[in-house]
């Protein structure tokens, strides 16, 4: 049985072979695919990958004469608290971390936010928990300083206690945390700075007397001073006792400041004003809505703070027309103040109280 041979192949055209349609589409297709992948990758990076910057903007404001969720921000227990009218609003700055490139551009274009290097606000290696703890500590210190400054202004007594004691130091053998310091080296202690002053002219090895109160009982004991460098302190000629003094109110009533999710020291001035307003009959706000900012120390001095342009915007949006500005922030505040916001320059708590009294009376006050 035989089989037929294969059919002959068709003739091929002469000349070079032109590119086929399938090959042309393949090259164009790859170009489109690569471009699409790169575009998607860029979008994902811009949307999801955080940049080493934070955004700063206006934060919430709080009326320190009012309440949050039914809880008074400033509360006085055990002493008559006088009625107040108006508002004394503390201001904050919103700091947003882990923002993306596109998110940062959007915030910047809005005109309400600014960008700053992350390292200016978060030290390398710090966890969010550590940062939160630090801000909480600063906030608590501002509350303590505000209370002491307010009570001093109102002529309430203040005591000095042993807040911290260096382990193994001379004071560690005599004092316990919380002891009230009455005299050191024969000098009366009425302010924390008096402790350092009392040791002026002493030398290591010298024995001094210290009088203190513990559980209501006054005691006196000798204390032999040491060398500061032996306990890791800075070298100095005076003898070293090893006690960290702190001022506390010496009153029978209790002042409580409650405000969640706020950190930093810049609310001190407004907290102090709120305490003065509660404990006096002056009605400082006088029915007006007033805001301000400023760090405060136990002597009532008002210090410079950061982020004041954003705080002024937040105040204006909250209906504030008068803003208390620390003296050292005046130039920055004047250059960035929203239209219609009156700026009042303050240097200390007494000046701030007087300014509010003058505003209520229709008198002129110092401006920036």
């Amino acid at each position: 049985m035989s089989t037929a041979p294969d059919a002959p192949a068709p003739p091929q055209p002469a000349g070079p072979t032109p590119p086929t349609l399938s090959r042309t589409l393949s090259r164009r297709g790859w170009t489109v695919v690569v471009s699409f992948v790169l575009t998607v990758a860029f979008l994902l990076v811009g949307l999801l990958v955080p940049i080493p910057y934070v955004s700063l903007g206006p934060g919430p404001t709080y009326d320190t004469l009012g309440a949050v969720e039914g809880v008074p921000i400033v509360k006085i227990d055990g002493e008559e608290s006088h009625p107040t009218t108006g508002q004394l609003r503390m201001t904050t700055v919103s700091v947003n971390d882990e923002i993306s490139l596109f998110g940062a551009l959007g915030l910047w274009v809005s005109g309400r936010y600014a960008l700053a290097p992350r390292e200016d606000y978060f030290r390398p290696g710090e966890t969010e928990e550590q940062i939160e703890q630090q801000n909480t500590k600063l906030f608590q210190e501002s509350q303590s300083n505000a209370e002491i400054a307010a009570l001093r202004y109102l002529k309430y007594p203040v005591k000095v206690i042993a807040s911290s004691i260096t382990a193994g130091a001379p004071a560690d053998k005599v004092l316990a945390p919380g002891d009230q310091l009455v005299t050191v080296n024969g000098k009366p202690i009425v302010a924390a700075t008096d402790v350092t002053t009392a040791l002026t002219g002493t030398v290591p090895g010298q024995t001094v007397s210290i009088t203190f109160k513990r559980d209501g009982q006054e005691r006196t004991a000798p204390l032999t001073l040491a060398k500061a460098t032996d306990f890791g302190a800075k070298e100095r000629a005076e003898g070293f006792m090893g006690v960290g003094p702190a001022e506390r109110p010496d009153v029978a009533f209790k002042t409580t400041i409650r405000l969640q999710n706020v950190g930093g020291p810049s609310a001190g001035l407004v907290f102090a004003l709120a305490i003065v307003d509660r404990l006096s009959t002056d009605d400082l706000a006088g029915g007006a809505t007033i805001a301000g900012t400023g760090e405060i120390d136990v002597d009532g001095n008002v210090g410079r703070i950061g982020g004041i342009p954003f705080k002024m915007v937040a105040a204006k949006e909250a209906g504030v027309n008068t803003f208390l500005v620390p003296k050292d922030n005046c130039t920055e505040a004047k250059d960035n103040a929203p239209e219609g916001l009156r700026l009042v320059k303050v240097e200390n708590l007494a000046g701030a109280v007087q300014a509010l009294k003058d505003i209520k009376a229709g008198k002129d006050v110092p401006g920036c």
Side-chain angles (χ1 to χ4, degrees):
M1 179 173 134
S2 64
T3 58
D6 294 335
Q12 299 294 323
T17 303
T20 64
L21 180 60
S22 62
R23 291 178 180 174
T24 303
L25 288 175
S26 178
R27 286 198 294 270
R28 290 177 180 173
W30 275 111
T31 301
V32 171
V33 169
V34 171
S35 299
F36 176 76
V37 170
L38 291 176
T39 301
V40 170
F42 175 72
L43 291 173
L44 289 175
V45 169
L47 288 170
L48 302 178
V49 178
I51 60 175
Y53 285 83
V54 297
S55 69
L56 308 175
T61 68
Y62 302 92
D63 176 21
T64 56
L65 298 178
V68 175
E69 297 181 353
V71 179
I73 294 178
V74 176
K75 185 180 180 183
I76 311 291
D77 291 311
E79 183 78 340
E80 183 180 4
S81 183
H82 300 280
T84 61
T85 63
Q87 300 181 18
L88 291 174
R89 303 194 74 87
M90 57 164 285
T91 52
T92 65
V93 174
S94 173
V95 180
N96 297 312
D97 189 21
E98 294 190 356
I99 55 175
S100 66
L101 175 61
F102 290 167
L105 290 174
L107 292 171
W108 180 74
V109 169
S110 73
R112 286 174 53 83
Y113 296 85
L115 300 177
R118 188 181 189 277
E119 61 188 17
D120 290 351
Y121 293 85
F122 302 97
R123 288 179 292 186
E126 277 189 325
T127 65
E128 290 186 10
E129 183 179 1
Q130 289 173 323
I131 294 168
E132 185 176 344
Q133 289 174 347
Q134 182 181 7
N135 286 332
T136 299
K137 181 181 178 182
L138 290 173
F139 191 61
Q140 291 171 342
E141 288 176 354
S142 77
Q143 296 174 14
S144 177
N145 288 352
E147 180 183 8
I148 294 169
L151 295 184
R152 273 186 164 179
Y153 171 81
L154 294 170
K155 308 303 182 184
Y156 283 97
V158 173
K159 63 184 178 181
V160 180
I161 67 166
S163 177
S164 61
I165 298 175
T166 303
D172 194 20
K173 304 172 184 177
V174 177
L175 297 173
D179 286 348
Q180 179 183 350
L181 304 179
V182 180
T183 67
V184 172
N185 195 26
K187 308 294 193 307
I189 305 300
V190 296
T193 53
D194 291 339
V195 176
T196 301
T197 303
L199 296 178
T200 301
T202 63
V203 294
Q206 179 178 338
T207 298
V208 299
S209 66
I210 180 169
T211 301
F212 58 96
K213 284 184 179 180
R214 181 183 300 168
D215 299 327
Q217 295 186 346
E218 190 169 293
R219 310 178 186 185
T220 299
L223 187 150
T224 302
L225 302 177
K227 193 174 181 180
T229 53
D230 289 345
F231 297 90
K234 185 178 179 180
E235 184 175 3
R236 56 176 179 261
E238 292 82 8
F240 179 74
M241 193 164 64
V243 60
E247 296 177 22
R248 294 290 184 268
D250 191 13
V251 294
F253 60 88
K254 182 179 181 181
T255 301
T256 305
I257 299 175
R258 290 190 179 94
L259 194 58
Q260 301 295 322
N261 302 319
V262 177
S266 63
L269 169 63
V270 182
F271 281 145
L273 288 171
I275 295 171
V276 171
D277 210 0
R278 290 288 189 194
L279 290 174
S280 68
T281 59
D282 292 326
D283 188 18
L284 296 179
T289 300
I290 296 170
T293 188
E295 186 173 355
I296 199 167
D297 64 19
V298 294
D299 295 319
N301 299 308
V302 178
R304 177 184 178 87
I305 50 82
I308 199 165
F310 307 110
K311 294 180 178 181
M312 292 189 297
V313 170
K316 186 64 178 176
E317 292 177 349
V320 173
N321 293 317
T322 300
F323 194 92
L324 305 179
V325 181
K327 179 189 68 173
D328 293 338
N329 282 110
C330 258
T331 299
E332 182 185 14
K334 188 176 180 180
D335 292 342
N336 294 277
E339 185 176 355
L341 187 65
R342 180 187 192 183
L343 304 182
V344 178
K345 179 175 65 175
V346 295
E347 298 183 41
N348 50 52
L349 178 58
V353 171
Q354 188 60 51
L356 293 181
K357 291 180 179 180
D358 290 342
I359 290 171
K360 188 171 66 170
K363 299 179 180 180
D364 291 335
V365 294
C368 287

